[in-house]
Amino acid sequence: MQPTTLVILLLILMAIAYQFGMRRSVAVAGGPKNLRSLHSRPNYYGYYTAIWAGLPALIVVGLWAAMQGNFIIDLVIADLPPDVRSLPPERLGLWLNDLKNLAEGNIVSGEVSPALRAGADHYLSLQQTAAAAMAVVVLVIAVAGVSFAMKLISPKLRARNRVEGVVKVLLIFCSSIAIVTTLGIVLSVLFEAIRFFNMVPFMEFFFGTEWSPQTAIRSDQVGSSGAFGMIPLFAGTMLISLIAMTVAVPIGLMSAIYLSEYASSRMRAYAKPALEVLAGIPTVVYGFFAALTVAPFVRNVGESMGLEVSSESALAAGLVMGIMIIPFVSSLSDDVINAVPQSMRDASYGVGATRSETITRVIFPAALPGIVGGILLAVSRAIGETMIVVMAAGLSANLTANPLESVTTVTVQIVTLLVGDQEFDSAKTLAAFALGLMLFVVTLILNVIALHVVRKYREQYE
Amino acid sequence: MSSTTVDEEVLMAEEIESKEGVGGADLGARADEIGATVGDYTVDKPRMTARGVNVYYEDKRAIMDVNLDIAENQVISLIGPSGCGKSTFLRCLNRMNDTIDVCRVTGEIKLDDQDIYDKKMDVVPLRAQVGMVFQKPNPFPKSIYENIAYGPRIHGLARTKDEMDEIVEVSLRRAGLWEEVKDRLDEAGTGLSGGQQQRLCIARTISVSPEVILMDEPCSALDPIATAVVEELIDELRQHFTIAIVTHSMQQAARVSQRTAYFHLGRLVEVGPTDEIFTNPVHKLTEDYITGRFG
């Protein structure tokens, strides 16, 4: 029996168990008129029974499915001819892959030997037995769960509390998935980064001013010294983010102030969604807009003024990234400005302040913590942005403060390091993890600062 | 008599709601009974005059043909059941209703013979001349000093720090708050107690030397003791300012005001000296409201 069929069967069983539990509780209470004698309403007894039917069985299904593969492979190996069993582990792995492919009807890498054929047959029959065994065991557990729950049902059983307890555990489980995933990603990046720091000294990575991640594939290869100084990358990231924020913060803030304080409600109803459309444009579209439209434009303007502009410039990438971030700044600021109580505005207008005085002296200071928080979130967004920079800012790791030159960023380098044919244990690919870790730390710090600022000053006007 | 307990007010409010909720037809009948304003709405020395004032929220008419004078150095209280338009009328007097998009005002309101709804009228100096104190204390999230200095600063009333210090001190003294806060002027205004906050707001209003002060239920968020202090303050402020106060508490109206205007369903029903209104109301609706027969 397929695991999916089994799960569907279990669900049906749970539905039946629900009915059983409910009827049973009514019967135990002594008919529908005596429901008051029950601790919980009958449907909770139904849920209780259904949980007993489904939960233990589902846990068994999960565990079984997780362990069955290895267990069967072990059995198959134990039954193989000695000459195959004595193969070195990598070769045995390949051989077993062939066996599985043959069993599942896929293409096999070499010729099919009788031993392979016999192994595959054995594998198939073991799988079928295991599936059948699982179905039987699981269904028995489910039915046993139902009968156990039915026996437990009595007017004193606190079914509602039990059911709510299970629901609570389920909620905790779901919320911990996000946390555990984050933790997993961080740890895997961290371990790879540690491997990288075993090859390249810590100090060289942090304080090196040269980035040229070419490691030799063969020992006699020339021109591949490999320099892993992250400073040019972070400088490039900072430069582009700075340009982006110079564009996004004033424009975003002003549009937020217009929308929340000056615009009529009809204007606001149209303008706000229109502005937020900017946030919905895929960054790759921004990327080719930057590379094909803005970068040549910047170069032409620069050259007409007698400046030397690279065709892929930090300025072009930063400008477009700034446009992309405008909705973040404006939307968050707009919310914060709207959250300033009307009574503050009334108070200010009440002593004869004009609209602009009210905004600059009362509303803006009151909303500042939230605005700063929004801007910091936008900065983390800018630092993590990749596509625009890949397309418009170039790949050369120049250490420069000149926005007209081409620079590269941390994220772009991560992409280029991991694209292409490389061993996954060379310093070159592992450098991506070290960069990723640094990037993660920087954005994490920014987010923590943002949250802290917002929380610290939030209650001021309440 | 400062024991206008909160309970009483709550009871009254509940009564109003139940009356309005259930007896809609009853109120409709009463609307016909209102007729022209009873009593003399003019005074000898008016500071503000309102003639034929109507206020519309979109199509709904909230105020109907109200004529009323506000006399110099007097306190006039506007009373009436919830939703009768007394706060709306008050907010017309310094054009605070302008901040509401859908609100439209017709008729004529004059401050010292100047029509405040004239196209040439600038609301900024108007609101400095006609200040407002709100229902809930709303100090800025700034220091006590900055709360007071805000108005004088935007109007350029003080040229030096000393002048500003003096304005702050005088305003706080007049609001009866100076002794309590003089040693902590740089602390946040929001850290004061509710009653102190409301007096701070009053000080902020008088810091720009207005001629008229409008108060929209200034004590409804305060406890009885703070209420008594603010009421005493209102009585003192009368020497320097003209005051119009909206209140739900009839005891408060009787204590602080010299004239009383009773509003009902957007109309001014009766106006007259406070002691006459409370001892000898002419209009049946006024009598019913004052004796607590309905909300």
Side-chain angles (χ1 to χ4, degrees):
Chain A
M1 195 186 294
Q2 291 287 321
T4 20
T5 341
L6 190 64
V7 170
I8 291 171
L9 210 66
L10 269 182
L11 290 178
I12 295 170
L13 203 69
M14 281 170 78
I16 297 170
Y18 173 80
Q19 294 295 334
F20 272 26
M22 217 159 75
R23 301 255 163 85
R24 169 86 179 151
S25 70
V26 175
V28 164
K33 282 181 187 156
N34 292 328
L35 289 184
R36 285 265 155 166
S37 66
L38 288 174
H39 170 268
S40 313
R41 310 245 344 262
N43 56 342
Y44 280 104
Y45 291 92
Y47 291 131
Y48 181 73
T49 321
I51 287 171
W52 263 111
L55 201 60
L58 281 175
I59 290 173
V60 169
V61 169
L63 290 179
W64 191 299
M67 306 214 279
Q68 173 178 302
N70 284 336
F71 189 65
I72 290 180
I73 289 293
D74 284 348
L75 282 180
V76 170
I77 292 173
D79 219 28
L80 285 176
D83 59 321
V84 179
R85 250 190 302 165
S86 57
L87 283 172
E90 312 95 72
R91 295 291 307 276
L92 184 64
L94 282 177
W95 202 87
L96 285 172
N97 255 342
D98 270 348
L99 184 146
K100 275 188 216 164
N101 282 339
L102 183 64
E104 278 151 24
N106 293 337
I107 296 165
V108 180
S109 66
E111 243 170 67
V112 180
S113 64
L116 194 62
R117 170 74 63 199
D121 288 345
H122 188 204
Y123 178 78
L124 271 183
S125 76
L126 277 178
Q127 253 190 341
Q128 275 164 2
T129 323
M134 176 167 88
V136 170
V137 169
V138 164
L139 289 179
V140 165
I141 289 177
V143 172
V146 173
S147 58
F148 181 63
M150 298 285 272
K151 214 168 261 169
L152 282 184
I153 289 176
S154 72
K156 277 191 188 147
L157 176 71
R158 294 151 73 93
R160 174 166 45 77
N161 308 34
R162 298 280 175 84
V163 170
E164 278 167 2
V166 172
V167 169
K168 191 175 139 196
V169 170
L170 183 76
L171 295 178
I172 292 173
F173 177 74
C174 288
S175 56
S176 56
I177 284 180
I179 298 167
V180 170
T181 313
T182 315
L183 208 66
I185 292 175
V186 172
L187 286 182
S188 75
V189 170
L190 185 68
F191 286 127
E192 299 295 328
I194 288 171
R195 279 176 70 192
F196 170 74
F197 287 126
N198 286 336
M199 296 181 204
V200 175
F202 204 65
M203 300 304 274
E204 192 190 316
F205 178 71
F206 266 97
F207 298 107
T209 54
E210 203 186 324
W211 176 263
S212 150
Q214 301 306 323
T215 49
I217 294 176
R218 303 184 312 275
S219 53
D220 57 342
Q221 210 168 354
V222 283
S224 48
S225 50
F228 294 94
M230 68 168 207
I231 287 194
L233 306 188
F234 268 82
T237 306
M238 291 303 149
L239 179 64
I240 290 182
S241 304
L242 193 72
I243 296 169
M245 296 322 286
T246 320
V247 173
V249 169
I251 297 180
L253 266 186
M254 303 248 183
S255 51
I257 288 172
Y258 171 72
L259 282 180
S260 57
E261 297 296 316
Y262 288 91
S264 67
S265 48
R266 254 186 57 202
M267 178 71 193
R268 194 180 143 83
Y270 289 109
K272 202 172 181 209
L275 198 64
E276 280 165 0
V277 165
L278 276 181
I281 298 177
T283 57
V284 68
V285 175
Y286 278 112
F288 64 68
F289 174 63
L292 300 181
T293 312
V294 179
F297 176 75
V298 167
R299 192 187 55 204
N300 291 343
V301 170
E303 278 171 354
S304 70
M305 296 194 309
L307 297 169
E308 198 170 306
V309 186
S310 145
S311 62
E312 291 176 320
S313 61
L315 188 60
L319 286 178
V320 175
M321 196 192 279
I323 302 288
M324 183 194 82
I325 293 171
I326 287 174
F328 284 83
V329 178
S330 74
S331 196
L332 286 169
S333 310
D334 182 45
D335 291 346
V336 180
I337 290 173
N338 270 327
V340 175
Q342 180 64 28
S343 67
M344 294 290 117
R345 295 182 179 89
D346 283 348
S348 180
Y349 293 140
V351 292
T354 63
R355 210 174 244 185
S356 61
E357 283 162 348
T358 304
I359 290 164
T360 50
R361 295 178 185 223
V362 175
I363 295 176
F364 196 73
L368 191 63
I371 292 174
V372 170
I375 290 175
L376 285 182
L377 287 180
V379 172
S380 355
R381 177 76 211 236
I383 289 176
E385 172 51 38
T386 315
M387 276 329 285
I388 295 175
V389 201
V390 168
M391 291 169 130
L395 294 173
S396 51
N398 291 326
L399 182 55
T400 175
N402 180 359
L404 302 177
E405 276 184 48
S406 121
V407 296
T408 191
T409 68
V410 177
T411 49
V412 170
Q413 286 307 313
I414 292 178
V415 171
T416 49
L417 289 175
L418 294 180
V419 173
D421 294 338
Q422 273 286 336
E423 290 167 80
F424 252 75
D425 52 359
S426 72
K428 185 180 168 184
T429 42
L430 289 176
F433 290 98
L435 287 176
L437 186 67
M438 291 305 119
L439 205 56
F440 175 76
V441 169
V442 170
T443 44
L444 185 72
I445 290 173
L446 279 176
N447 281 342
V448 168
I449 293 174
L451 283 178
H452 182 75
V453 167
V454 171
R455 198 170 300 155
K456 181 164 180 194
Y457 297 101
R458 181 183 285 158
E459 294 158 349
Q460 221 180 19
Y461 51 73
E462 277 164 7
Chain B
M1 273 297 283
S2 66
S3 58
T4 317
T5 58
V6 179
D7 284 355
E8 257 177 41
E9 297 238 3
V10 170
L11 275 178
M12 266 190 277
E14 278 173 3
E15 204 178 342
I16 291 159
E17 272 172 25
S18 63
K19 281 271 157 55
E20 283 178 348
V22 183
D26 184 36
L27 276 180
R30 286 175 183 276
D32 296 336
E33 295 168 23
I34 296 174
T37 304
V38 178
D40 187 8
Y41 56 77
T42 59
V43 293
D44 294 337
K45 280 200 292 176
R47 197 83 219 219
M48 297 191 82
T49 55
R51 291 290 177 272
V53 173
N54 286 284
V55 179
Y56 301 85
Y57 289 110
E58 299 198 47
D59 296 332
K60 194 178 158 276
R61 200 162 160 207
I63 300 274
M64 300 169 199
D65 292 323
V66 170
N67 303 307
L68 187 62
D69 282 4
I70 295 171
E72 191 168 3
N73 292 8
Q74 257 198 1
V75 179
I76 181 167
S77 57
L78 315 180
I79 59 170
S82 294
C84 69
K86 53 194 189 303
S87 287
T88 302
F89 179 73
L90 191 77
R91 290 168 69 94
C92 289
L93 297 177
N94 69 345
R95 294 186 55 177
M96 279 304 276
N97 283 334
D98 288 12
T99 56
I100 302 167
D101 280 349
V102 295
C103 183
R104 197 158 54 80
V105 179
T106 63
E108 184 190 75
I109 300 178
K110 281 183 173 170
L111 170 69
D112 299 334
D113 294 326
Q114 163 94 41
D115 185 356
I116 66 170
Y117 279 91
D118 191 81
K119 281 210 171 62
K120 279 177 252 159
M121 185 74 196
D122 187 359
V123 295
V124 168
L126 169 70
R127 289 188 189 140
Q129 283 172 295
V130 184
M132 187 149 193
V133 175
F134 298 88
Q135 186 169 1
K136 221 179 122 202
N138 55 353
F140 296 125
K142 301 173 187 287
S143 69
I144 293 170
Y145 185 94
E146 284 301 319
N147 260 286
I148 310 296
Y150 179 79
R153 192 167 284 152
I154 57 177
H155 293 294
L157 298 185
R159 270 162 304 173
T160 61
K161 174 95 171 71
D162 286 347
E163 282 182 26
M164 185 60 85
D165 288 350
E166 196 183 327
I167 291 178
V168 171
E169 182 176 340
V170 168
S171 307
L172 284 171
R173 274 191 195 283
R174 279 193 177 166
L177 196 60
W178 175 251
E179 291 303 323
E180 292 161 59
V181 300
K182 64 180 176 188
D183 299 324
R184 45 176 179 144
L185 290 175
D186 53 348
E187 282 176 29
T190 42
L192 298 172
S193 75
Q196 288 173 325
Q197 284 189 16
Q198 193 60 298
R199 278 181 285 149
L200 181 66
C201 294
I202 293 173
R204 180 177 63 195
T205 305
I206 60 188
S207 68
V208 291
S209 321
E211 296 162 29
V212 182
I213 300 177
L214 311 175
M215 298 186 174
D216 191 355
E217 299 183 40
C219 300
S220 64
L222 305 184
D223 65 72
I225 293 170
T227 300
V229 174
V230 171
E231 284 180 2
E232 225 168 275
L233 171 63
I234 293 172
D235 205 47
E236 283 167 24
L237 290 175
R238 180 159 67 90
Q239 298 161 16
H240 305 279
F241 307 99
T242 299
I243 297 173
I245 176 171
V246 163
T247 177
H248 258 127
S249 153
M250 281 176 282
Q251 288 88 338
Q252 185 173 69
R255 280 192 298 267
V256 301
S257 67
Q258 287 73 52
R259 276 172 89 223
T260 295
Y262 173 66
F263 282 75
H264 190 97
L265 291 173
R267 288 175 200 272
L268 177 56
V269 175
E270 183 166 355
V271 59
T274 298
D275 40 3
E276 279 181 33
I277 291 262
F278 280 97
T279 51
N280 201 5
V282 177
H283 200 288
K284 177 134 192 331
L285 281 172
T286 319
E287 189 187 341
D288 285 356
Y289 182 71
I290 284 167
T291 52
R293 217 164 293 159
F294 83 101

PDB file of all heavy atoms in Angstrom, chain A residues 21-43:
ATOM      1  N   GLY A  21     -16.660   8.825  18.956  1.00  0.00           N
ATOM      2  CA  GLY A  21     -16.378   9.478  20.241  1.00  0.00           C
ATOM      3  C   GLY A  21     -17.551  10.317  20.693  1.00  0.00           C
ATOM      4  O   GLY A  21     -17.942  10.312  21.858  1.00  0.00           O
ATOM      5  N   MET A  22     -18.144  11.047  19.717  1.00  0.00           N
ATOM      6  CA  MET A  22     -19.248  11.923  20.064  1.00  0.00           C
ATOM      7  C   MET A  22     -20.441  11.103  20.560  1.00  0.00           C
ATOM      8  O   MET A  22     -21.010  11.381  21.616  1.00  0.00           O
ATOM      9  CB  MET A  22     -19.629  12.744  18.842  1.00  0.00           C
ATOM     10  CG  MET A  22     -20.032  14.133  19.175  1.00  0.00           C
ATOM     11  SD  MET A  22     -19.901  15.201  17.767  1.00  0.00           S
ATOM     12  CE  MET A  22     -21.297  14.715  16.838  1.00  0.00           C
ATOM     13  N   ARG A  23     -20.784  10.063  19.784  1.00  0.00           N
ATOM     14  CA  ARG A  23     -21.922   9.220  20.183  1.00  0.00           C
ATOM     15  C   ARG A  23     -21.685   8.613  21.563  1.00  0.00           C
ATOM     16  O   ARG A  23     -22.554   8.608  22.421  1.00  0.00           O
ATOM     17  CB  ARG A  23     -22.088   8.077  19.171  1.00  0.00           C
ATOM     18  CG  ARG A  23     -22.326   8.555  17.768  1.00  0.00           C
ATOM     19  CD  ARG A  23     -23.782   8.372  17.349  1.00  0.00           C
ATOM     20  NE  ARG A  23     -24.066   9.179  16.179  1.00  0.00           N
ATOM     21  CZ  ARG A  23     -23.821   8.785  14.924  1.00  0.00           C
ATOM     22  NH1 ARG A  23     -23.326   7.579  14.687  1.00  0.00           N
ATOM     23  NH2 ARG A  23     -24.086   9.570  13.918  1.00  0.00           N
ATOM     24  N   ARG A  24     -20.454   8.120  21.726  1.00  0.00           N
ATOM     25  CA  ARG A  24     -20.112   7.453  22.968  1.00  0.00           C
ATOM     26  C   ARG A  24     -20.299   8.403  24.165  1.00  0.00           C
ATOM     27  O   ARG A  24     -20.859   8.008  25.191  1.00  0.00           O
ATOM     28  CB  ARG A  24     -18.649   6.989  22.868  1.00  0.00           C
ATOM     29  CG  ARG A  24     -18.056   6.503  24.146  1.00  0.00           C
ATOM     30  CD  ARG A  24     -18.362   5.040  24.353  1.00  0.00           C
ATOM     31  NE  ARG A  24     -17.758   4.597  25.589  1.00  0.00           N
ATOM     32  CZ  ARG A  24     -18.244   3.616  26.332  1.00  0.00           C
ATOM     33  NH1 ARG A  24     -19.308   2.959  25.943  1.00  0.00           N
ATOM     34  NH2 ARG A  24     -17.654   3.269  27.442  1.00  0.00           N
ATOM     35  N   SER A  25     -19.860   9.632  23.966  1.00  0.00           N
ATOM     36  CA  SER A  25     -19.955  10.569  25.094  1.00  0.00           C
ATOM     37  C   SER A  25     -21.416  10.849  25.419  1.00  0.00           C
ATOM     38  O   SER A  25     -21.786  10.945  26.593  1.00  0.00           O
ATOM     39  CB  SER A  25     -19.213  11.863  24.776  1.00  0.00           C
ATOM     40  OG  SER A  25     -19.903  12.590  23.779  1.00  0.00           O
ATOM     41  N   VAL A  26     -22.235  10.973  24.367  1.00  0.00           N
ATOM     42  CA  VAL A  26     -23.664  11.206  24.613  1.00  0.00           C
ATOM     43  C   VAL A  26     -24.268  10.017  25.358  1.00  0.00           C
ATOM     44  O   VAL A  26     -25.032  10.182  26.324  1.00  0.00           O
ATOM     45  CB  VAL A  26     -24.408  11.459  23.288  1.00  0.00           C
ATOM     46  CG1 VAL A  26     -25.903  11.584  23.528  1.00  0.00           C
ATOM     47  CG2 VAL A  26     -23.878  12.723  22.632  1.00  0.00           C
ATOM     48  N   ALA A  27     -23.858   8.810  24.921  1.00  0.00           N
ATOM     49  CA  ALA A  27     -24.385   7.599  25.569  1.00  0.00           C
ATOM     50  C   ALA A  27     -23.942   7.545  27.023  1.00  0.00           C
ATOM     51  O   ALA A  27     -24.737   7.245  27.921  1.00  0.00           O
ATOM     52  CB  ALA A  27     -23.894   6.353  24.813  1.00  0.00           C
ATOM     53  N   VAL A  28     -22.660   7.875  27.269  1.00  0.00           N
ATOM     54  CA  VAL A  28     -22.134   7.834  28.636  1.00  0.00           C
ATOM     55  C   VAL A  28     -22.868   8.839  29.521  1.00  0.00           C
ATOM     56  O   VAL A  28     -23.139   8.587  30.691  1.00  0.00           O
ATOM     57  CB  VAL A  28     -20.615   8.129  28.603  1.00  0.00           C
ATOM     58  CG1 VAL A  28     -20.117   8.492  29.989  1.00  0.00           C
ATOM     59  CG2 VAL A  28     -19.862   6.930  28.080  1.00  0.00           C
ATOM     60  N   ALA A  29     -23.222   9.982  28.913  1.00  0.00           N
ATOM     61  CA  ALA A  29     -23.916  11.003  29.692  1.00  0.00           C
ATOM     62  C   ALA A  29     -25.336  10.574  30.028  1.00  0.00           C
ATOM     63  O   ALA A  29     -25.951  11.121  30.940  1.00  0.00           O
ATOM     64  CB  ALA A  29     -23.941  12.315  28.910  1.00  0.00           C
ATOM     65  N   GLY A  30     -25.864   9.624  29.281  1.00  0.00           N
ATOM     66  CA  GLY A  30     -27.235   9.184  29.527  1.00  0.00           C
ATOM     67  C   GLY A  30     -28.224   9.928  28.655  1.00  0.00           C
ATOM     68  O   GLY A  30     -29.225  10.430  29.144  1.00  0.00           O
ATOM     69  N   GLY A  31     -27.909  10.051  27.362  1.00  0.00           N
ATOM     70  CA  GLY A  31     -28.851  10.663  26.422  1.00  0.00           C
ATOM     71  C   GLY A  31     -28.594  12.152  26.236  1.00  0.00           C
ATOM     72  O   GLY A  31     -27.922  12.790  27.050  1.00  0.00           O
ATOM     73  N   PRO A  32     -29.130  12.693  25.124  1.00  0.00           N
ATOM     74  CA  PRO A  32     -28.874  14.097  24.765  1.00  0.00           C
ATOM     75  C   PRO A  32     -29.370  15.086  25.811  1.00  0.00           C
ATOM     76  O   PRO A  32     -28.956  16.235  25.836  1.00  0.00           O
ATOM     77  CB  PRO A  32     -29.640  14.273  23.449  1.00  0.00           C
ATOM     78  CG  PRO A  32     -29.947  12.896  22.981  1.00  0.00           C
ATOM     79  CD  PRO A  32     -29.983  12.009  24.177  1.00  0.00           C
ATOM     80  N   LYS A  33     -30.281  14.656  26.694  1.00  0.00           N
ATOM     81  CA  LYS A  33     -30.827  15.604  27.661  1.00  0.00           C
ATOM     82  C   LYS A  33     -29.900  15.809  28.848  1.00  0.00           C
ATOM     83  O   LYS A  33     -30.047  16.765  29.597  1.00  0.00           O
ATOM     84  CB  LYS A  33     -32.181  15.099  28.157  1.00  0.00           C
ATOM     85  CG  LYS A  33     -33.253  15.365  27.136  1.00  0.00           C
ATOM     86  CD  LYS A  33     -34.597  14.902  27.622  1.00  0.00           C
ATOM     87  CE  LYS A  33     -35.623  15.016  26.495  1.00  0.00           C
ATOM     88  NZ  LYS A  33     -36.746  14.119  26.689  1.00  0.00           N
ATOM     89  N   ASN A  34     -28.956  14.888  29.018  1.00  0.00           N
ATOM     90  CA  ASN A  34     -28.094  14.982  30.192  1.00  0.00           C
ATOM     91  C   ASN A  34     -26.679  15.452  29.864  1.00  0.00           C
ATOM     92  O   ASN A  34     -25.738  15.099  30.551  1.00  0.00           O
ATOM     93  CB  ASN A  34     -28.003  13.612  30.890  1.00  0.00           C
ATOM     94  CG  ASN A  34     -29.348  13.254  31.500  1.00  0.00           C
ATOM     95  OD1 ASN A  34     -30.081  14.136  31.924  1.00  0.00           O
ATOM     96  ND2 ASN A  34     -29.656  11.974  31.498  1.00  0.00           N
ATOM     97  N   LEU A  35     -26.564  16.208  28.761  1.00  0.00           N
ATOM     98  CA  LEU A  35     -25.213  16.615  28.336  1.00  0.00           C
ATOM     99  C   LEU A  35     -24.501  17.438  29.402  1.00  0.00           C
ATOM    100  O   LEU A  35     -23.292  17.501  29.444  1.00  0.00           O
ATOM    101  CB  LEU A  35     -25.294  17.415  27.034  1.00  0.00           C
ATOM    102  CG  LEU A  35     -25.659  16.587  25.809  1.00  0.00           C
ATOM    103  CD1 LEU A  35     -25.606  17.446  24.560  1.00  0.00           C
ATOM    104  CD2 LEU A  35     -24.739  15.391  25.674  1.00  0.00           C
ATOM    105  N   ARG A  36     -25.288  18.045  30.300  1.00  0.00           N
ATOM    106  CA  ARG A  36     -24.670  18.877  31.341  1.00  0.00           C
ATOM    107  C   ARG A  36     -23.752  18.054  32.243  1.00  0.00           C
ATOM    108  O   ARG A  36     -22.852  18.612  32.869  1.00  0.00           O
ATOM    109  CB  ARG A  36     -25.764  19.503  32.196  1.00  0.00           C
ATOM    110  CG  ARG A  36     -26.465  20.629  31.503  1.00  0.00           C
ATOM    111  CD  ARG A  36     -25.827  21.918  31.918  1.00  0.00           C
ATOM    112  NE  ARG A  36     -26.015  22.923  30.909  1.00  0.00           N
ATOM    113  CZ  ARG A  36     -25.805  24.211  31.124  1.00  0.00           C
ATOM    114  NH1 ARG A  36     -25.410  24.597  32.333  1.00  0.00           N
ATOM    115  NH2 ARG A  36     -25.969  25.081  30.181  1.00  0.00           N
ATOM    116  N   SER A  37     -24.028  16.768  32.348  1.00  0.00           N
ATOM    117  CA  SER A  37     -23.208  15.960  33.247  1.00  0.00           C
ATOM    118  C   SER A  37     -21.816  15.699  32.673  1.00  0.00           C
ATOM    119  O   SER A  37     -20.928  15.267  33.391  1.00  0.00           O
ATOM    120  CB  SER A  37     -23.906  14.624  33.531  1.00  0.00           C
ATOM    121  OG  SER A  37     -23.962  13.878  32.332  1.00  0.00           O
ATOM    122  N   LEU A  38     -21.640  15.964  31.358  1.00  0.00           N
ATOM    123  CA  LEU A  38     -20.323  15.782  30.760  1.00  0.00           C
ATOM    124  C   LEU A  38     -19.415  16.957  31.136  1.00  0.00           C
ATOM    125  O   LEU A  38     -19.880  18.084  31.304  1.00  0.00           O
ATOM    126  CB  LEU A  38     -20.439  15.740  29.236  1.00  0.00           C
ATOM    127  CG  LEU A  38     -21.071  14.497  28.631  1.00  0.00           C
ATOM    128  CD1 LEU A  38     -21.230  14.688  27.131  1.00  0.00           C
ATOM    129  CD2 LEU A  38     -20.215  13.291  28.913  1.00  0.00           C
ATOM    130  N   HIS A  39     -18.125  16.667  31.229  1.00  0.00           N
ATOM    131  CA  HIS A  39     -17.191  17.767  31.495  1.00  0.00           C
ATOM    132  C   HIS A  39     -17.106  18.705  30.302  1.00  0.00           C
ATOM    133  O   HIS A  39     -17.083  19.917  30.451  1.00  0.00           O
ATOM    134  CB  HIS A  39     -15.802  17.219  31.822  1.00  0.00           C
ATOM    135  CG  HIS A  39     -14.763  18.287  31.876  1.00  0.00           C
ATOM    136  ND1 HIS A  39     -14.005  18.655  30.790  1.00  0.00           N
ATOM    137  CD2 HIS A  39     -14.386  19.100  32.889  1.00  0.00           C
ATOM    138  CE1 HIS A  39     -13.205  19.643  31.137  1.00  0.00           C
ATOM    139  NE2 HIS A  39     -13.399  19.931  32.399  1.00  0.00           N
ATOM    140  N   SER A  40     -17.033  18.124  29.075  1.00  0.00           N
ATOM    141  CA  SER A  40     -16.885  18.939  27.874  1.00  0.00           C
ATOM    142  C   SER A  40     -18.061  18.697  26.951  1.00  0.00           C
ATOM    143  O   SER A  40     -18.815  17.747  27.135  1.00  0.00           O
ATOM    144  CB  SER A  40     -15.601  18.584  27.140  1.00  0.00           C
ATOM    145  OG  SER A  40     -14.527  18.516  28.035  1.00  0.00           O
ATOM    146  N   ARG A  41     -18.208  19.572  25.930  1.00  0.00           N
ATOM    147  CA  ARG A  41     -19.253  19.337  24.951  1.00  0.00           C
ATOM    148  C   ARG A  41     -18.900  18.093  24.138  1.00  0.00           C
ATOM    149  O   ARG A  41     -17.725  17.778  23.970  1.00  0.00           O
ATOM    150  CB  ARG A  41     -19.392  20.539  24.019  1.00  0.00           C
ATOM    151  CG  ARG A  41     -19.507  21.846  24.750  1.00  0.00           C
ATOM    152  CD  ARG A  41     -20.842  22.538  24.568  1.00  0.00           C
ATOM    153  NE  ARG A  41     -21.619  22.047  23.478  1.00  0.00           N
ATOM    154  CZ  ARG A  41     -21.661  22.618  22.272  1.00  0.00           C
ATOM    155  NH1 ARG A  41     -20.923  23.670  22.036  1.00  0.00           N
ATOM    156  NH2 ARG A  41     -22.426  22.128  21.334  1.00  0.00           N
ATOM    157  N   PRO A  42     -19.934  17.362  23.596  1.00  0.00           N
ATOM    158  CA  PRO A  42     -19.661  16.074  22.936  1.00  0.00           C
ATOM    159  C   PRO A  42     -18.640  16.174  21.813  1.00  0.00           C
ATOM    160  O   PRO A  42     -17.856  15.245  21.618  1.00  0.00           O
ATOM    161  CB  PRO A  42     -21.033  15.671  22.395  1.00  0.00           C
ATOM    162  CG  PRO A  42     -22.007  16.376  23.258  1.00  0.00           C
ATOM    163  CD  PRO A  42     -21.367  17.636  23.699  1.00  0.00           C
ATOM    164  N   ASN A  43     -18.599  17.292  21.061  1.00  0.00           N
ATOM    165  CA  ASN A  43     -17.671  17.336  19.943  1.00  0.00           C
ATOM    166  C   ASN A  43     -16.219  17.250  20.416  1.00  0.00           C
ATOM    167  O   ASN A  43     -15.362  16.737  19.711  1.00  0.00           O
ATOM    168  CB  ASN A  43     -17.906  18.585  19.089  1.00  0.00           C
ATOM    169  CG  ASN A  43     -17.815  19.852  19.883  1.00  0.00           C
ATOM    170  OD1 ASN A  43     -17.909  19.814  21.113  1.00  0.00           O
ATOM    171  ND2 ASN A  43     -17.619  20.967  19.223  1.00  0.00           N
TER     172      ASN A  43
END
